[in-house]
Amino acid sequence: IDIAFFDEPTSNLDDTRRDSLAEQILSVKGFSQLFVISHDDTFERVTHHVVRVRKEDGASRVDAQ
């Protein structure tokens, strides 16, 4: 499998380290797809697709960009 998942990679990081990690994840090689699961919007400026899941009136709504 050539897929990598990063689950909440920016937890407990300050702004400088969060930005640095976002740039470093972009340079990860050897995978055809990288998934970043996060409540942090730091990665939105460096990703190709963003999927948001939000709660609305008790139901989950999915928005994809």
Side-chain angles (χ1 to χ4, degrees):
I1 282 187
D2 60 346
I3 299 172
F5 287 88
F6 295 89
D7 187 11
E8 297 292 348
T10 57
S11 266
N12 302 313
L13 296 180
D14 61 29
D15 291 343
T16 302
R17 287 184 175 88
R18 192 177 2 247
D19 290 339
S20 176
L21 180 60
E23 294 298 324
Q24 289 176 20
I25 285 177
L26 283 178
S27 67
V28 171
K29 302 293 183 220
F31 298 99
S32 64
Q33 294 183 28
L34 299 175
F35 289 86
V36 178
I37 302 149
S38 181
H39 290 92
D40 182 351
D41 62 0
T42 299
F43 296 96
E44 288 185 22
R45 61 184 165 78
V46 296
T47 56
H48 295 285
H49 303 283
V50 175
V51 177
R52 285 190 183 89
V53 180
R54 58 187 168 80
K55 206 64 127 166
E56 186 177 291
D57 298 324
S60 294
R61 304 285 183 208
V62 177
D63 298 320
Q65 299 176 347

